[in-house]
């Protein structure tokens, strides 16, 4: 059970939405480029033979002596892809809360997104990217998909490093155009940023949730530990934590800002999520009732 | 108050440095912190060589444990501080209350009599001074409590030896005006001493022994007047002994009264009085004669003094001449006058007394002494009388005035400061500290394992 009841309750008023209209068959919640019968008025158009008579706006005919047909937006279903970074850096946790790993927080986030998507009859797919390969759960809708995704998330472990771009090709092909792609990771792998940029350029709507630790926000470490790159243990620095704190916070803050700008330039909206905050806070900024997409 | 039975054990406190050093020196391996954002750490600056105390709660526990063990080695004891006062003021019972109050002023309120139970000055004291109480008080009192003693300049009942106390005692002597004349004008050794001899009926051989003794004492340099009277003759003549205080040779109807004037420095005994029976002289044991001649070991040419300080108790008011040093009653109970005199501090030699023995059994009567023989003073009945050393021995024992050795100047009694030989009553703290040490050890182990478990 990745989503605890309280969190599930807070997810009630969230709704996954895209910034762009969605193209695709079917009936769903999302704005669609296909016009037709629907609730939301889109436009009037001239009557063409073959149109259903009931769709003719008779009041307008009375005023203008011409036949116009009310055209409505057709709501369409969305495909949501969750790309979860499972490289070794995702296993990192705060030094004083070893159970609160980045992966655990990311897992809950992914479960929440899947819950939201499947709740509104959208299709949801999952890809675990780590350990040099990609593990794809094809997009589908329905209750069984939710269980499937939850099971996959439960046994996901963080190891290895980000795969080569070539091994990511099947993933790029699986994600159809117009899909909403949520990339959940730590942003320390340049490959993830590249992938996000590529997907955005290929007209997928990409959002990047960067899961960060409290240590990276506050750097409340003491002593002189050896700081080791989880994915490349040969890279390490022994630094006196207290003395390095100010410099680190300043440099890392700058780097985070630059990364967000870089992603924004690539058309990817990005957001930092901290492991010690509730997962729905970040989601609410994008998908809440008063969200500013 | 905590005391130490083995203060050297406190040296073990030096061991406290060990855990401090260990906690300072034992630097754990630099721990590895997985940190994906390592790039943003500034260039590796040398980690500070900080000598920081690690695991200070553990260190604290270890220090406490070691301290408790060290204290345990020093064998701590808990001495209850009995007195809250910083100074204990004691007044010897010989000092009159008014005088004591005048001397002490405001401190009189907390002053106590030097008596069992330490009564306040409001209670009248018993006449007796028990110097051993001072020793007991010294042992009982906590260290640092001062003791002041107010005592008369001349102490009647002086202790046999100078008190040895563990603390400096404020020794204040006050001149006590004597209620009775300090001395009857008779200075020891300067004037003649008087020996009062009372007998009943014919005491031929005993009388001879007394004479021989007196002769021997005279020969050793004493100036002795022998005042002898037959009680039966007195009774028959109707003359009350108490009615004629100043017994003079002519007071009795001859009655064998002998006044013996002895001159000093070894001149042979010269009988100045009249009737020493020839039989008596004949009966003088050879030993006594010998001792009279040369055996008495008194040196010097000056007349030997009675070792006699101011005898305040015995005076002419008692009906006996002030220079009386010894009363001898040959057989039977002593007369009332003699009894009174003895009670006030005289010395009495009784023969044929039921509670007597050999050598003469000494017992106290009032402030005086009674030496009792169970036999007559007759060398034939008591052969030990033939011992040549008898004269010197009896001189030492009988002619020493009662209480003479006990009178002393207060200043000469000032206690000597000596370490306390006794262990004062104290409660061992060993078990308490042992329990504490065990608790600390458990706590230390628990904390150490907990820390270890948390680190890995």
């Amino acid at each position: 059970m990745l989503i605890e009841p309280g969190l599930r309750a807070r997810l009630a008023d969230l709704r996954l939405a895209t910034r762009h209209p969605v193209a695709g068959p079917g009936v769903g919640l999302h704005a669609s480029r296909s016009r037709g019968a629907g609730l939301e008025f889109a436009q009037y158009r001239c009557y063409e033979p073959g149109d259903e008579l009931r769709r003719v706006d008779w009041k307008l005919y009375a005023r203008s002596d011409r036949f116009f047909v009310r055209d409505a937006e057709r709501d369409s279903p969305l495909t949501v892809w969750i790309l979860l970074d499972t490289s070794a850096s995702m296993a990192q946790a705060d030094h004083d809360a070893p159970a609160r790993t980045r992966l655990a927080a990311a897992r809950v986030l992914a479960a929440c997104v899947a819950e939201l998507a499947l709740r509104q009859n959208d299709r949801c797919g999952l890809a675990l990217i780590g350990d040099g390969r990609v593990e794809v759960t094809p997009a589908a809708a329905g209750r069984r998909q939710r269980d499937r995704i939850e099971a996959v998330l439960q046994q996901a472990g963080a190891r290895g490093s980000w795969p080569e771009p070539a091994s990511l090709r099947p993933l790029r092909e699986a994600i159809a155009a117009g899909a909403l792609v949520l990339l959940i990771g730590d942003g320390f792998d340049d490959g993830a940023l590249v992938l996000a940029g590529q997907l955005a350029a290929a007209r997928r709507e990409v959002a990047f949730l960067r899961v960060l630790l409290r240590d990276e926000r506050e750097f409340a470490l003491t002593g002189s530990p050896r700081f080791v790159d989880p994915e490349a243990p040969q890279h390490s620095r022994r630094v006196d934590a207290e003395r390095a704190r100010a410099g680190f916070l300043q440099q890392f803050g700058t780097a985070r800002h630059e990364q967000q700008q870089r992603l924004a330039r690539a058309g990817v909206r990005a957001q930092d999520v901290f492991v010690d905050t509730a997962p729905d806070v970040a989601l609410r900024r994008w998908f809440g009732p008063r969200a500013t997409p | 108050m905590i005391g130490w039975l083995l203060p050297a054990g406190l040296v073990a406190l030096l061991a406290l440095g060990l855990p401090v050093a260990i906690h300072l020196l034992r630097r754990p391996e630099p721990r590895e912190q997985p940190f994906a954002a390592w790039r943003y750490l500034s260039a590796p600056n040398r980690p500070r060589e900080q000598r920081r105390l690690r695991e200070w709660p553990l260190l604290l526990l270890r220090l406490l444990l070691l301290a408790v063990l060290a204290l345990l080695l020093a064998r701590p004891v808990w001495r209850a501080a009995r007195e809250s006062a910083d100074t204990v003021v004691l007044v010897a019972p010989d000092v009159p209350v008014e005088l004591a109050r005048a001397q002490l002023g405001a401190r009189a309120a907390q002053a106590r009599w030097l008596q069992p139970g330490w009564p306040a000055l409001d209670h009248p004291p018993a006449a007796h001074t028990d110097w051993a109480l001072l020793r007991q008080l010294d042992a009982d009192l906590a260290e640092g409590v001062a003791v002041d003693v107010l005592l008369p300049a001349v102490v009647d009942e002086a202790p046999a030896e100078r008190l040895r106390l563990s603390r400096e005692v404020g020794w204040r002597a006050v001149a006590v005006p004597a209620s009775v004349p300090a001395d009857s004008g008779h200075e020891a050794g300067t004037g003649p001493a008087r020996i009062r001899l009372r007998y009943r009926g014919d005491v031929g051989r005993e009388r001879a022994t007394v004479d021989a003794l007196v002769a021997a004492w005279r020969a050793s340099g004493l100036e002795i007047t022998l005042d002898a009277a037959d009680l039966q003759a007195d009774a028959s003549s109707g003359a009350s002994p108490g009615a004629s205080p100043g017994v003079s040779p002519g007071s009795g109807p001859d009655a064998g009264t002998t006044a013996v004037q002895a001159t000093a420095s070894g001149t042979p005994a010269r009988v100045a009085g009249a009737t020493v029976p020839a039989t008596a002289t004949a009966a003088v044991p050879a030993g006594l004669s010998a001792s009279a001649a040369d055996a008495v070991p008194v040196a010097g040419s000056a007349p030997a003094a009675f070792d006699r300080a101011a005898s305040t108790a015995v005076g002419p008011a008692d009906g006996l001449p002030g220079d009386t040093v010894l009363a001898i009653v040959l057989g039977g109970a002593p007369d009332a006058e003699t009894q009174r005199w003895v009670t006030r501090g005289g010395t009495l030699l009784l023969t044929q007394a039921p509670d007597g023995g050999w050598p003469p059994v000494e017992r106290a009567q009032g402030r005086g002494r009674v030496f009792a023989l169970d036999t007559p003073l007759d060398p034939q009945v008591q052969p030990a009388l033939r011992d040549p050393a008898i004269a010197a021995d009896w001189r030492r024992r009988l002619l020493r005035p009662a209480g003479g050795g006990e009178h002393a100047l207060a200043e000469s009694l000032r206690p000597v400061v000596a370490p306390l030989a006794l262990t004062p009553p104290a409660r061992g703290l060993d078990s308490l500290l042992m329990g504490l040490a065990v608790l600390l050890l458990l706590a230390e182990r628990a904390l150490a394992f907990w820390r270890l478990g948390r680190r890995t």
Side-chain angles (χ1 to χ4, degrees):
Chain A
M1 195 70 177
L2 284 170
I3 308 173
E4 58 179 28
L7 177 58
R8 190 183 296 277
R10 290 200 301 277
L11 291 178
D13 59 345
L14 295 184
R15 188 146 295 136
L16 287 185
T18 53
R19 289 186 294 184
H20 310 293
V22 178
V27 175
L29 271 177
H30 301 277
S32 165
R33 262 171 291 159
S34 62
R35 301 280 176 267
L39 296 174
E40 199 87 4
F41 172 78
Q43 62 179 357
Y44 286 113
R45 63 174 169 82
C46 290
Y47 172 78
E48 288 172 12
D51 279 337
E52 289 180 53
L53 283 181
R54 59 179 180 147
R55 291 180 60 199
V56 174
D57 192 327
W58 295 110
K59 286 180 180 170
L60 195 58
Y61 167 72
R63 283 204 301 273
S64 63
D65 205 15
R66 291 179 185 205
F67 293 109
F68 287 98
V69 175
R70 273 180 81 89
D71 222 1
E73 275 186 12
R74 230 171 53 194
D75 291 340
S76 113
L78 178 68
T79 306
V80 180
W81 275 96
I82 302 167
L83 310 188
L84 185 58
D85 179 1
T86 56
S87 60
S89 59
M90 289 297 284
Q92 191 186 335
D94 280 332
H95 76 284
D96 58 350
R100 204 165 61 195
T101 62
R102 235 195 277 269
L103 181 63
R107 206 185 263 153
V108 175
L109 270 174
C112 285
V113 172
E115 168 80 15
L116 287 176
L118 297 171
R119 200 174 61 190
Q120 54 199 34
N121 287 321
D122 289 336
R123 288 146 50 81
C124 185
L126 175 67
L128 305 181
I129 310 171
D131 207 7
R133 60 200 173 85
V134 182
E135 195 182 325
V136 177
T137 308
R143 189 178 294 271
R144 290 182 64 188
Q145 178 70 359
R146 193 182 69 180
D147 293 344
R148 202 175 295 133
I149 285 177
E150 187 143 321
V152 171
L153 285 175
Q154 288 277 18
Q155 60 197 22
R159 64 187 78 82
S161 55
W162 191 264
E164 294 297 311
S167 48
L168 291 172
R169 178 168 296 174
L171 180 66
R172 289 208 302 272
E173 285 165 1
I175 301 175
L180 173 60
V181 178
L182 268 163
L183 183 57
I184 303 175
D186 53 17
F188 291 113
D189 299 294
D190 206 48
L193 303 181
V194 170
L195 175 64
Q198 285 173 349
L199 288 171
R203 287 183 36 229
R204 276 77 170 170
E205 183 171 340
V206 184
F208 190 96
L209 280 170
R210 188 175 192 194
V211 182
L212 292 179
L213 297 171
R214 210 186 65 188
D215 282 351
E216 286 154 354
R217 184 184 63 205
E218 295 169 0
F219 203 67
L221 292 155
T222 52
S224 318
R226 182 171 293 281
F227 293 95
V228 183
D229 187 346
E231 293 174 25
Q234 69 274 15
H235 291 147
S236 70
R237 268 175 200 175
R238 178 134 188 248
V239 170
D240 184 65
E242 276 103 347
R243 292 220 306 224
R245 176 173 301 132
F248 171 79
L249 292 180
Q250 200 261 327
Q251 286 192 36
F252 190 53
T254 310
R256 277 165 58 191
H257 187 65
E258 281 173 359
Q259 193 181 69
Q260 289 209 357
Q261 285 190 331
R262 176 182 162 193
L263 287 168
R265 279 198 299 275
V268 177
R269 44 179 174 168
Q271 201 181 148
D272 287 348
V273 182
F274 290 97
V275 294
D276 56 343
T277 53
D280 62 309
V281 175
L283 295 177
R284 191 169 292 274
R285 269 184 61 191
W286 284 341
F287 308 122
R290 280 175 298 277
T292 53
Chain B
M1 196 180 66
I2 282 189
W4 310 101
L5 295 185
L6 185 63
L10 291 178
V11 176
L13 283 175
L14 289 178
L16 288 183
L18 273 170
V20 176
I22 288 173
H23 278 243
L24 270 177
L25 294 179
R26 212 197 53 178
R27 307 167 63 82
E29 288 287 304
R31 66 177 193 276
E32 295 212 333
Q33 174 77 37
F35 205 67
W38 63 277
R39 288 186 202 92
Y40 305 103
L41 289 166
S42 45
N45 49 5
R46 254 178 76 78
R48 249 182 313 178
E49 278 302 313
Q50 73 255 49
R51 292 236 171 270
R52 283 196 320 139
L53 284 179
R54 288 160 211 294
E55 308 279 353
W56 63 265
L58 198 57
L59 174 63
L60 196 68
L61 273 181
R62 288 176 175 161
L63 285 180
L64 274 176
L65 177 62
L66 272 184
V68 165
L69 288 180
L71 297 190
L72 203 58
L73 276 183
R75 307 283 319 281
V77 288
W78 181 261
R79 295 196 183 107
R82 309 227 175 140
E83 297 286 333
S84 53
D86 291 327
T87 309
V88 177
V89 183
L90 298 172
V91 181
D94 298 343
V95 181
V97 182
E98 303 76 31
L99 195 60
R101 285 192 198 284
Q103 284 283 331
L104 293 173
R107 292 161 74 207
Q110 44 162 334
R112 305 285 165 142
W113 290 116
L114 182 51
Q115 296 255 299
W118 312 107
L121 288 191
D122 305 332
H123 303 86
H128 185 64
T129 306
D130 190 355
W131 295 102
L133 279 176
L134 208 53
R135 216 173 294 143
Q136 184 200 335
L137 181 76
D138 177 51
D140 283 357
L141 274 184
E143 234 174 293
V145 179
V147 174
D148 276 0
V149 179
L150 193 66
L151 73 170
V154 177
V155 178
D156 277 348
E157 299 167 85
E161 59 172 343
R162 283 178 77 167
L163 292 165
R164 299 170 71 84
L165 304 181
S166 69
R167 70 193 74 216
E168 192 81 47
V169 169
W171 201 250
R172 287 179 61 189
V174 291
V176 177
S179 50
V180 287
D183 198 89
S184 54
H186 164 251
E187 278 301 315
T190 57
R194 188 182 294 271
I195 292 176
R196 177 186 172 92
L197 176 67
R198 291 291 181 273
Y199 51 90
R200 292 184 174 82
D202 181 26
V203 286
R205 273 212 285 275
E206 287 189 276
R207 176 64 205 264
T209 312
V210 171
D211 285 339
L213 265 178
V214 168
W217 289 336
R218 278 178 187 142
S220 67
L222 296 181
E223 199 176 334
I224 293 176
T225 311
L226 187 64
D227 159 25
D230 187 346
L231 290 173
Q232 270 182 4
D234 279 353
S236 60
S237 68
S240 158
S244 55
V247 180
S248 61
S251 67
D254 104 306
T257 303
T258 315
V260 186
Q261 293 293 336
T263 51
S265 61
T267 29
R270 177 166 54 84
V271 179
T275 56
V276 177
T279 50
T281 346
V284 167
L288 278 180
S289 316
S291 70
D294 51 28
V296 179
V298 175
S301 55
F306 294 107
D307 308 327
R308 170 172 174 169
S311 166
T312 56
V314 185
D318 303 324
L320 262 66
D323 54 354
T324 309
V325 294
L326 174 68
I328 302 172
V329 176
L330 300 177
D335 53 314
E337 196 183 10
T338 310
Q339 287 276 28
R340 269 203 305 281
W341 176 76
V342 169
T343 310
R344 302 297 297 266
T347 308
L348 172 66
L349 178 65
L350 270 177
T351 62
Q352 302 175 52
D355 55 347
W358 182 267
V361 179
E362 180 178 355
R363 61 178 161 85
Q365 178 174 335
R367 299 173 66 173
R369 299 168 300 161
V370 175
F371 290 87
L373 280 170
D374 52 351
T375 58
L377 202 60
D378 186 352
Q380 290 185 0
V381 183
Q382 183 52 266
L385 281 170
R386 297 179 195 275
D387 186 352
I390 280 289
D393 183 31
W394 283 18
R395 178 186 165 186
R396 201 167 59 244
R397 294 184 65 188
L398 303 184
L399 297 192
R400 173 173 60 84
E406 298 167 356
H407 286 257
L409 287 176
E411 206 47 45
S412 69
L413 295 176
R414 182 180 286 279
V416 184
V417 176
L420 207 55
L422 286 170
T423 307
R427 199 156 56 86
L429 294 174
D430 288 7
S431 53
L432 189 73
L433 284 182
M434 200 78 84
L436 197 58
V438 170
L439 280 183
L440 280 173
L441 182 68
L442 288 178
E444 190 266 341
R445 282 295 86 198
L447 187 62
F449 279 122
W450 181 63
R451 291 268 168 169
L452 202 65
R454 228 183 53 159
R455 206 183 295 151
T456 52

